Amino acid sequence: MSSSDILKLRHYCAYQERCHMEVREKCRELKLYGEEAEEAIAHLVTEGFLNEERYAKAFAGGKFRMQQWGRKKIRQALKQKQISDYCIRKGLAEIDPAAYEQALLSLAERKYQSLRGEQYLKRQYKTLQYLLQKGFEQELVREAIEQIAKKED
């Protein structure tokens, strides 16, 4: 493992938060395999360039704020990146419950309004499907839709 490889990996991690899986992929691109790659990752962790808890917090906060993903979708995406359950919990804890509820209501209302021409049940069903696909919990989605449907009456 050359110092230029470590330098490239440092830059890669400094540019934005990365998870171990992404860094392993980058190591493969740099032709670092097995023991060399693990050594490089350990080096980056020691130096503070790589921290999965920090990554999970940044990922969860970003996906929620920018793309308005729900907790379930964020959890699934982090699991696909092989993030530990502990780090996933820490990441999801970054999401403010009041902001989460507000985002859910806002998305629900916008979707429900966009379906004005549809029948009542179809409108509710399509709104429900949209919010579940965004990763929001079924119970919270049902409550939000009921709340919006009551306003319409």
Side-chain angles (χ1 to χ4, degrees), residues 42-75:
H43 193 71
L44 292 168
V45 169
T46 306
E47 291 182 328
F49 282 97
L50 194 56
N51 180 323
E52 288 215 324
E53 187 176 326
R54 200 173 58 209
Y55 173 82
K57 288 177 178 181
F59 184 91
K63 290 298 182 190
F64 171 67
R65 279 190 313 280
M66 305 305 277
Q67 295 175 321
Q68 297 187 309
W69 282 12
R71 288 188 195 106
K72 288 176 79 176
K73 190 168 183 171
I74 292 170
R75 176 183 302 276

Short mmCIF file of all heavy atoms in Angstrom, two decimals, residues 42-75:
data_model
loop_
_atom_site.label_atom_id
_atom_site.label_comp_id
_atom_site.label_asym_id
_atom_site.label_seq_id
_atom_site.Cartn_x
_atom_site.Cartn_y
_atom_site.Cartn_z
N ALA A 42 -8.45 0.50 8.38
CA ALA A 42 -8.09 0.67 9.80
C ALA A 42 -7.33 1.99 9.99
O ALA A 42 -7.58 2.72 10.96
CB ALA A 42 -7.23 -0.50 10.26
N HIS A 43 -6.47 2.30 9.06
CA HIS A 43 -5.69 3.54 9.09
C HIS A 43 -6.63 4.77 9.04
O HIS A 43 -6.48 5.72 9.80
CB HIS A 43 -4.71 3.54 7.91
CG HIS A 43 -3.66 4.59 7.97
ND1 HIS A 43 -2.62 4.54 8.88
CD2 HIS A 43 -3.49 5.73 7.26
CE1 HIS A 43 -1.86 5.61 8.70
NE2 HIS A 43 -2.37 6.34 7.72
N LEU A 44 -7.62 4.70 8.13
CA LEU A 44 -8.57 5.82 7.98
C LEU A 44 -9.45 5.98 9.22
O LEU A 44 -9.77 7.10 9.61
CB LEU A 44 -9.44 5.60 6.74
CG LEU A 44 -8.71 5.69 5.40
CD1 LEU A 44 -9.60 5.17 4.27
CD2 LEU A 44 -8.27 7.11 5.10
N VAL A 45 -9.82 4.87 9.83
CA VAL A 45 -10.63 4.92 11.05
C VAL A 45 -9.81 5.56 12.17
O VAL A 45 -10.29 6.46 12.87
CB VAL A 45 -11.12 3.50 11.46
CG1 VAL A 45 -11.72 3.52 12.86
CG2 VAL A 45 -12.13 2.98 10.45
N THR A 46 -8.57 5.12 12.32
CA THR A 46 -7.68 5.65 13.36
C THR A 46 -7.48 7.16 13.20
O THR A 46 -7.48 7.89 14.18
CB THR A 46 -6.30 4.95 13.30
OG1 THR A 46 -6.52 3.54 13.38
CG2 THR A 46 -5.41 5.38 14.44
N GLU A 47 -7.35 7.59 11.96
CA GLU A 47 -7.13 9.02 11.69
C GLU A 47 -8.41 9.85 11.75
O GLU A 47 -8.36 11.07 11.62
CB GLU A 47 -6.49 9.20 10.31
CG GLU A 47 -5.06 8.71 10.23
CD GLU A 47 -4.46 8.95 8.86
OE1 GLU A 47 -5.22 8.92 7.84
OE2 GLU A 47 -3.26 9.18 8.79
N GLY A 48 -9.55 9.18 11.87
CA GLY A 48 -10.82 9.90 11.97
C GLY A 48 -11.44 10.25 10.62
O GLY A 48 -12.42 11.01 10.55
N PHE A 49 -10.91 9.72 9.53
CA PHE A 49 -11.47 9.98 8.22
C PHE A 49 -12.71 9.13 7.96
O PHE A 49 -13.54 9.47 7.13
CB PHE A 49 -10.45 9.70 7.10
CG PHE A 49 -9.43 10.79 6.94
CD1 PHE A 49 -8.18 10.69 7.54
CD2 PHE A 49 -9.71 11.91 6.18
CE1 PHE A 49 -7.24 11.70 7.40
CE2 PHE A 49 -8.79 12.92 6.03
CZ PHE A 49 -7.54 12.82 6.64
N LEU A 50 -12.79 8.02 8.67
CA LEU A 50 -13.87 7.07 8.45
C LEU A 50 -14.54 6.76 9.78
O LEU A 50 -13.87 6.34 10.73
CB LEU A 50 -13.26 5.80 7.84
CG LEU A 50 -14.17 4.76 7.21
CD1 LEU A 50 -15.03 5.40 6.12
CD2 LEU A 50 -13.33 3.65 6.60
N ASN A 51 -15.84 7.03 9.86
CA ASN A 51 -16.58 6.80 11.09
C ASN A 51 -18.02 6.46 10.70
O ASN A 51 -18.75 7.31 10.20
CB ASN A 51 -16.53 8.07 11.95
CG ASN A 51 -17.27 7.94 13.25
OD1 ASN A 51 -18.31 7.30 13.33
ND2 ASN A 51 -16.73 8.55 14.29
N GLU A 52 -18.42 5.22 10.92
CA GLU A 52 -19.73 4.78 10.47
C GLU A 52 -20.88 5.42 11.22
O GLU A 52 -21.93 5.65 10.65
CB GLU A 52 -19.84 3.25 10.51
CG GLU A 52 -19.01 2.62 9.42
CD GLU A 52 -19.60 1.37 8.81
OE1 GLU A 52 -20.20 0.58 9.54
OE2 GLU A 52 -19.44 1.20 7.59
N GLU A 53 -20.69 5.74 12.49
CA GLU A 53 -21.76 6.40 13.24
C GLU A 53 -22.00 7.80 12.66
O GLU A 53 -23.15 8.20 12.43
CB GLU A 53 -21.39 6.50 14.73
CG GLU A 53 -22.52 7.03 15.58
CD GLU A 53 -22.18 7.03 17.06
OE1 GLU A 53 -21.46 6.14 17.53
OE2 GLU A 53 -22.67 7.95 17.75
N ARG A 54 -20.92 8.50 12.39
CA ARG A 54 -21.01 9.83 11.79
C ARG A 54 -21.66 9.73 10.40
O ARG A 54 -22.49 10.55 10.03
CB ARG A 54 -19.60 10.42 11.69
CG ARG A 54 -19.52 11.90 11.54
CD ARG A 54 -18.08 12.38 11.63
NE ARG A 54 -17.23 11.76 10.62
CZ ARG A 54 -15.94 11.54 10.76
NH1 ARG A 54 -15.32 11.87 11.87
NH2 ARG A 54 -15.25 10.98 9.80
N TYR A 55 -21.28 8.69 9.66
CA TYR A 55 -21.85 8.47 8.33
C TYR A 55 -23.36 8.24 8.43
O TYR A 55 -24.13 8.84 7.68
CB TYR A 55 -21.18 7.25 7.65
CG TYR A 55 -21.84 6.87 6.36
CD1 TYR A 55 -21.52 7.54 5.18
CD2 TYR A 55 -22.80 5.87 6.30
CE1 TYR A 55 -22.14 7.22 3.98
CE2 TYR A 55 -23.42 5.55 5.11
CZ TYR A 55 -23.09 6.21 3.96
OH TYR A 55 -23.72 5.90 2.77
N ALA A 56 -23.77 7.38 9.35
CA ALA A 56 -25.19 7.05 9.50
C ALA A 56 -26.00 8.30 9.86
O ALA A 56 -27.10 8.52 9.34
CB ALA A 56 -25.39 5.97 10.57
N LYS A 57 -25.45 9.13 10.73
CA LYS A 57 -26.13 10.37 11.12
C LYS A 57 -26.27 11.31 9.93
O LYS A 57 -27.34 11.89 9.69
CB LYS A 57 -25.38 11.07 12.25
CG LYS A 57 -25.50 10.37 13.59
CD LYS A 57 -24.67 11.07 14.64
CE LYS A 57 -24.84 10.41 15.99
NZ LYS A 57 -24.07 11.06 17.05
N ALA A 58 -25.20 11.47 9.17
CA ALA A 58 -25.22 12.36 8.00
C ALA A 58 -26.17 11.82 6.94
O ALA A 58 -26.96 12.57 6.35
CB ALA A 58 -23.82 12.50 7.42
N PHE A 59 -26.14 10.51 6.71
CA PHE A 59 -26.98 9.88 5.69
C PHE A 59 -28.46 10.03 6.06
O PHE A 59 -29.26 10.47 5.23
CB PHE A 59 -26.61 8.39 5.58
CG PHE A 59 -27.36 7.65 4.50
CD1 PHE A 59 -26.83 7.58 3.22
CD2 PHE A 59 -28.57 7.04 4.76
CE1 PHE A 59 -27.51 6.89 2.22
CE2 PHE A 59 -29.26 6.36 3.77
CZ PHE A 59 -28.73 6.28 2.50
N ALA A 60 -28.80 9.66 7.30
CA ALA A 60 -30.19 9.72 7.74
C ALA A 60 -30.72 11.15 7.70
O ALA A 60 -31.81 11.41 7.17
CB ALA A 60 -30.33 9.14 9.15
N GLY A 61 -29.94 12.07 8.23
CA GLY A 61 -30.37 13.47 8.23
C GLY A 61 -30.54 14.01 6.82
O GLY A 61 -31.52 14.68 6.52
N GLY A 62 -29.60 13.69 5.97
CA GLY A 62 -29.65 14.17 4.58
C GLY A 62 -30.82 13.60 3.79
O GLY A 62 -31.53 14.34 3.11
N LYS A 63 -31.02 12.30 3.88
CA LYS A 63 -32.12 11.66 3.14
C LYS A 63 -33.47 12.17 3.64
O LYS A 63 -34.40 12.36 2.85
CB LYS A 63 -32.07 10.14 3.25
CG LYS A 63 -30.92 9.51 2.51
CD LYS A 63 -30.98 9.77 1.02
CE LYS A 63 -29.84 9.09 0.30
NZ LYS A 63 -29.71 9.50 -1.08
N PHE A 64 -33.57 12.41 4.94
CA PHE A 64 -34.83 12.92 5.47
C PHE A 64 -35.06 14.36 5.02
O PHE A 64 -36.11 14.70 4.49
CB PHE A 64 -34.88 12.83 7.00
CG PHE A 64 -36.05 13.55 7.59
CD1 PHE A 64 -37.34 13.09 7.36
CD2 PHE A 64 -35.89 14.70 8.33
CE1 PHE A 64 -38.44 13.77 7.86
CE2 PHE A 64 -36.98 15.39 8.85
CZ PHE A 64 -38.25 14.92 8.61
N ARG A 65 -34.06 15.22 5.20
CA ARG A 65 -34.23 16.64 4.86
C ARG A 65 -34.36 16.89 3.37
O ARG A 65 -35.22 17.64 2.93
CB ARG A 65 -33.05 17.46 5.40
CG ARG A 65 -33.13 17.81 6.86
CD ARG A 65 -32.07 18.82 7.27
NE ARG A 65 -30.73 18.49 6.79
CZ ARG A 65 -29.92 17.61 7.36
NH1 ARG A 65 -30.31 16.96 8.44
NH2 ARG A 65 -28.72 17.37 6.87
N MET A 66 -33.49 16.27 2.58
CA MET A 66 -33.44 16.58 1.15
C MET A 66 -34.47 15.80 0.31
O MET A 66 -35.06 16.35 -0.60
CB MET A 66 -32.04 16.31 0.60
CG MET A 66 -30.94 17.04 1.36
SD MET A 66 -31.20 18.82 1.47
CE MET A 66 -30.54 19.31 -0.08
N GLN A 67 -34.63 14.52 0.62
CA GLN A 67 -35.52 13.70 -0.21
C GLN A 67 -36.78 13.27 0.52
O GLN A 67 -37.61 12.56 -0.04
CB GLN A 67 -34.75 12.49 -0.73
CG GLN A 67 -33.64 12.93 -1.67
CD GLN A 67 -32.78 11.78 -2.12
OE1 GLN A 67 -32.48 10.89 -1.34
NE2 GLN A 67 -32.36 11.82 -3.37
N GLN A 68 -36.90 13.68 1.77
CA GLN A 68 -38.05 13.38 2.61
C GLN A 68 -38.37 11.88 2.64
O GLN A 68 -39.51 11.47 2.46
CB GLN A 68 -39.26 14.22 2.16
CG GLN A 68 -38.96 15.70 2.36
CD GLN A 68 -40.15 16.58 2.12
OE1 GLN A 68 -40.79 16.47 1.08
NE2 GLN A 68 -40.44 17.43 3.06
N TRP A 69 -37.33 11.12 2.89
CA TRP A 69 -37.52 9.68 3.08
C TRP A 69 -38.00 9.43 4.50
O TRP A 69 -37.65 10.16 5.43
CB TRP A 69 -36.19 8.95 2.92
CG TRP A 69 -35.75 8.74 1.51
CD1 TRP A 69 -36.26 9.30 0.37
CD2 TRP A 69 -34.66 7.91 1.08
NE1 TRP A 69 -35.56 8.87 -0.72
CE2 TRP A 69 -34.57 8.02 -0.32
CE3 TRP A 69 -33.75 7.11 1.75
CZ2 TRP A 69 -33.62 7.33 -1.06
CZ3 TRP A 69 -32.81 6.42 1.01
CH2 TRP A 69 -32.75 6.53 -0.38
N GLY A 70 -38.77 8.36 4.67
CA GLY A 70 -39.21 7.94 5.99
C GLY A 70 -38.15 7.06 6.64
O GLY A 70 -37.19 6.63 5.99
N ARG A 71 -38.36 6.77 7.92
CA ARG A 71 -37.38 6.00 8.69
C ARG A 71 -37.14 4.60 8.11
O ARG A 71 -36.02 4.11 8.11
CB ARG A 71 -37.84 5.85 10.14
CG ARG A 71 -37.73 7.13 10.93
CD ARG A 71 -38.03 6.86 12.41
NE ARG A 71 -38.27 8.11 13.11
CZ ARG A 71 -39.47 8.52 13.51
NH1 ARG A 71 -40.54 7.79 13.30
NH2 ARG A 71 -39.60 9.68 14.13
N LYS A 72 -38.22 3.96 7.63
CA LYS A 72 -38.08 2.59 7.12
C LYS A 72 -37.18 2.55 5.89
O LYS A 72 -36.35 1.65 5.76
CB LYS A 72 -39.46 2.01 6.79
CG LYS A 72 -40.27 1.70 8.04
CD LYS A 72 -41.65 1.22 7.71
CE LYS A 72 -41.62 -0.24 7.30
NZ LYS A 72 -42.97 -0.77 7.06
N LYS A 73 -37.33 3.50 5.00
CA LYS A 73 -36.52 3.53 3.78
C LYS A 73 -35.06 3.86 4.11
O LYS A 73 -34.14 3.29 3.53
CB LYS A 73 -37.10 4.56 2.79
CG LYS A 73 -36.48 4.49 1.42
CD LYS A 73 -37.28 5.31 0.42
CE LYS A 73 -36.71 5.17 -0.98
NZ LYS A 73 -37.58 5.78 -1.98
N ILE A 74 -34.87 4.76 5.06
CA ILE A 74 -33.51 5.12 5.49
C ILE A 74 -32.83 3.90 6.13
O ILE A 74 -31.68 3.58 5.81
CB ILE A 74 -33.53 6.31 6.47
CG1 ILE A 74 -33.99 7.58 5.74
CG2 ILE A 74 -32.16 6.52 7.11
CD1 ILE A 74 -34.29 8.76 6.65
N ARG A 75 -33.56 3.22 7.01
CA ARG A 75 -33.03 2.03 7.68
C ARG A 75 -32.61 0.98 6.64
O ARG A 75 -31.52 0.42 6.70
CB ARG A 75 -34.07 1.44 8.63
CG ARG A 75 -33.64 0.14 9.30
CD ARG A 75 -34.75 -0.45 10.17
NE ARG A 75 -35.18 0.48 11.20
CZ ARG A 75 -34.58 0.62 12.38
NH1 ARG A 75 -33.54 -0.12 12.67
NH2 ARG A 75 -35.02 1.48 13.25
#
